[in-house]
Amino acid sequence: MLLVPWLLVLLPALAYALRPLEGSVVAPMRLAAVRAAVLLGAWAIATVEAASALTRLGTGLVLASWSIATAAVTAAVLTRIVRDVAPAEGSLTDRLRGRRGATRRTWRRTKSAAAAAPAWQWALACVVVILFIAAGILAVSSSPNNFDSQTYHLPRIEHWVQNGSVEAYATAIHRQVDISPGAEYLLTHLRLLDGGDGAYHLLQYFAAAGCAVAASRIAAQLGGGPLAQLATVFLIATTPEVLLQASSTQVDLVAAAWVASLATVVLDEFTRPSTPLGAPAPPASEALYLGLALGLIAVTKSTGLLAAAPLLLAWGIGRLVRDGRRRKPCLCGRGPEQCSRADRSGATAARARTVAASVAILALAVAIVGPFLARMHATFGHPLGPEMLRTSIGTDTADPRLILINLLRIAHTALDTPFAPLSEAGAAAIRGLASAMGVDSNDPAVTFVGTEFPAASWYPDEDRAAFPLTGAAMIGALAWFLWKGPALRRTYAACLGLAWIAVAASVAWQPWINRLVMFLVVLGAPAAGVAAAALARHLVDHRRRAVAWTLLGTFAATASLAGLLTVAYGFPRRLTGAWSVFTVSDLEERFIRRREWLPQYEQAAAAVADSGAETVGIVQGNDSWEYPWWILLPDGTRLVALESVVPGRPGADPGSVDAIVCAEDLEECADLVPGDWDLVELGTVAYALPPDEALAWPHAA
C-alpha cells in the first residue's frame, strides 16, 4: 500500500502547482486535477518502458522514479507558492493576508450555496456518497477475481516482474502479450512497491472518481450549473457497470478516465474566455495535455481512440476557424473599417501554430504508445498485434446494413432490463429488420466468435451489466442537444454520435460489449446531467411541475435502488448475502466464478510446492486461468510456458523444468510431460513431477 498514500499526497500537490488562474477556464481546480492525473499517468508509463529497456524493471528503479517525481512536484509547489504570495503591491504579509481573506470568502460562498440547495439535491448527493463509500469498501476488502484478470491482465504483470522487462515472452495466451498494457503498467507500480495485489482494485476505484471529476467539468463546460454537475455525477455513480468495475481489475474505467480527460481539455478550446481581440488565448501547455491524454488512451485501450478522434477533429477545426477570424487590433489613428479588416499575417501565424500543436499532440501520443506498437510489429509483423486478435474483436465488413444491425444490437444489450417480454420484443424486432434487409443478425463479420445475439445482460455482473437508465437518459439528452443547440452542444453530440457509429463499425458485438463502451457512457453522462437540470427547472412551473416531478423522481429513485442493489448483490463481489466478501476466504473469493476449480488448483500447487520445484512449466489453453499458479505456488518459484503462440518466443523444454502444472488442455499436457514422469489428473487441472518426487504423493500412483 506504499504507493497509494504517496499518490494521494502527490496528486493534489501537483494539481495545486498546475492550477490555472481563476477565471481563465471553467472549473479550474477540476482541470488542475485532470492535468495532474495525466502527467503522473504518463510518468508511470514512461518509467515502466525506461526500466524495461534497461531490463531493470524492479522495486528499486520504480522507487527511485517516484522519488524523482516527488522532488519535481515539491519544486513545482514551492515555485507556485512563491508566485502566489510574491508581493506585487504592499508587503508579503499583506499579500498573504489578502489571499487568506479571498479563500475565506470563497468558502463562505460555497457554504451558503450548499445550504440553500433543496433537500432533494442533498438526497442525491447522499446517494452518491453512500455508493462511493460502498464501492470503496468492496475495493479494499476483496481480492481480484475477474475472469480476464485470471487469464491475462494479472499474469502478464508477474511475467514482467519475473523477467525484469515488458518484452514479449513465450505464452499460450496471446492476450498477455498483444492487448494494450497501459492499465497493467500502472498496476505494475503497485505490484513492485506493495509486493502483492492487495491494492490492485484501487486503480479502477480512483479511475471511477476521475471519470466523475472530468465528466462534471464537461457538464459545466456545456453550460450546466451546479445541479447539472451533480446530476452528472449521480448518473455515473448509479450506473451498475461503473460500480462493479470500481472494485475490479478490469481496465475499462481507466480508459474512460483518460478519454474524459482528453474531452474536457478539448472543450476548453470552445469555452475559454475571450481576449480583448476577440479570440481565445490557449495556453501553450494545451497540446501537452492533449498529447499525453491521447497516448494514455492508445496504450490503455485502443477503442477509446474512437471517441478521441472526433473530439480532436472538432478541436482542430475550432482552432482553424478561430484563426481565420482574427481581426486587427484597434489602435490610435485607425478607423472602424481598418479595425474590422482581417489580420492576414496574424491568421497565417495562428494557423501555423495550430498545425504545430497538432503535430506535437501526435508526437507525444506516439512517444507513449510507440514502444508497445514497435514491440507488436517486431513480434507479430503488425503494430496492432496478430491477426487472430484483430479478426476476433473487430468487425470484418463495410456493409452499412451489418453496421446498422451491429449498432442496434449494442444498444439492445446496453438497454437490457429484467422485464423479459420487453427484451425479447426488442431482439425480435432487430432480427426482423436484419431479415428484411437480407442480412443475418448474427453474421460472423460483426459477431464475436462463439457468441450469439441476444444475451441477457440486465443482471449486475461486472462483465456484462446493462445500464438502461443511464443509456436512455444519454440518448434523450444527445437528441435534445442536436435539436435545441447551441452550437457547442450540437458539436459535442455529433462527436459522440460519430463515436458510437465508429464502435458499431469496428467492434464486433459480444455479450460483454457493455463494459467495452464505458468511455462513451462517461462522455454521455454530462449531456444527460444538463438535460436533467433543464427538466428540473419545471419544478417551479406549476403547469409542468407534476410531469417534471414524476419523471425526475421516478428516475432518481430507480437509479438509486439499482446502484444500492448492485453494490449489495452484484457479482462477483458483493457486500451482503451469500458469497459476500465478508463471509468467504481469500481463495474462495478468487475462485468464485469457478468454485469447482479451487480444490484442484490447491492440490496441484501443494504437490509441486512440497517437491521443492524451483522452475515450473505451465500448459494451458487460451482462456485458462494462469494467475492462481502465481498465488498458490511459493514465492520465488519461476513459471515458464511450455507452449507458445508468440512468434520467435518458443516454449521452454519440458526437460528443463522441475515440475509441470496444467489447466484445461490435459491431452496436450500428457503429450508434453516427459515419459518417465507421473501425471496426475484432477479434472480440469493436472500436475506432473519427476518419478522420485511423485512417490511422495500416494494418489499419484
Side-chain angles (χ1 to χ4, degrees), residues 498-520:
L498 288 174
W500 277 103
I501 294 172
V503 167
S506 58
V507 180
W509 179 89
Q510 45 207 281
W512 45 91
I513 188 67
N514 287 339
R515 67 176 181 80
L516 302 184
V517 296
M518 272 296 95
F519 64 98
L520 292 175

Side-chain angles (χ1 to χ4, degrees), residues 382 492 657:
H382 195 289
Y492 188 76
V657 301

Side-chain angles (χ1 to χ4, degrees), residues 18 30 99 101 246 258 316 382 408 416 450 489 499 636 681 696:
L18 296 175
R30 276 173 279 178
R99 289 197 58 81
W258 298 137
H382 195 289
L408 293 175
D416 192 26
R489 293 182 183 178
E681 295 188 7

Side-chain angles (χ1 to χ4, degrees), residues 271-519:
T271 59
R272 190 178 296 107
S274 297
T275 65
L277 294 182
S285 60
E286 189 176 80
L288 169 66
Y289 297 114
L290 288 175
L292 294 180
L294 182 63
L296 289 169
I297 294 168
V299 80
T300 302
K301 205 172 186 71
S302 56
T303 49
L305 298 175
L306 301 176
L311 287 167
L312 286 174
L313 180 62
W315 174 85
I317 293 175
R319 282 188 58 132
L320 290 173
V321 170
R322 182 209 66 206
D323 295 340
R325 293 176 177 173
R326 290 183 63 90
R327 302 295 180 184
K328 290 184 178 180
C330 287
L331 304 177
C332 293
R334 286 190 175 183
E337 69 284 351
Q338 293 173 307
C339 292
S340 63
R341 193 175 304 157
D343 184 359
R344 298 184 185 278
S345 60
T348 301
R351 285 170 176 161
R353 287 194 295 270
T354 296
V355 172
S358 302
V359 172
I361 290 170
L362 294 176
L364 286 168
V366 169
I368 292 178
V369 73
F372 169 69
L373 296 180
R375 279 195 299 276
M376 291 303 95
H377 189 272
T379 303
F380 299 104
H382 195 289
L384 299 182
E387 184 179 0
M388 70 178 78
L389 173 67
R390 304 194 303 274
T391 57
S392 63
I393 296 178
T395 59
D396 187 25
T397 182
D399 189 335
R401 298 173 300 171
L402 288 175
I403 293 173
L404 174 60
I405 294 301
N406 199 34
L407 178 61
L408 293 175
R409 292 186 305 170
I410 292 172
H412 180 276
T413 307
L415 302 176
D416 192 26
T417 69
F419 189 57
L422 180 61
S423 298
E424 292 169 0
I430 294 174
R431 287 195 297 265
L433 177 62
S435 178
M437 292 191 300
V439 296
D440 181 3
S441 61
N442 280 299
D443 192 296
V446 290
T447 306
F448 190 86
V449 60
T451 65
E452 185 175 346
F453 173 83
S457 59
W458 64 267
Y459 185 78
D461 183 321
E462 71 169 347
D463 280 342
R464 60 179 67 191
F467 39 88
L469 294 175
T470 307
M474 180 178 64
I475 292 172
L478 292 176
W480 178 60
F481 273 18
L482 290 172
W483 175 49
K484 293 283 288 186
L488 178 57
R489 293 182 183 178
R490 285 198 176 103
T491 300
Y492 188 76
C495 288
L496 263 63
L498 288 174
W500 277 103
I501 294 172
V503 167
S506 58
V507 180
W509 179 89
Q510 45 207 281
W512 45 91
I513 188 67
N514 287 339
R515 67 176 181 80
L516 302 184
V517 296
M518 272 296 95
F519 64 98

Side-chain angles (χ1 to χ4, degrees), residues 666-692:
L666 301 191
E667 292 184 4
E668 185 67 21
C669 182
D671 293 338
L672 289 172
V673 170
D676 58 340
W677 285 33
D678 292 287
L679 175 66
V680 180
E681 295 188 7
L682 305 173
T684 302
V685 173
Y687 69 91
L689 296 171
D692 294 341

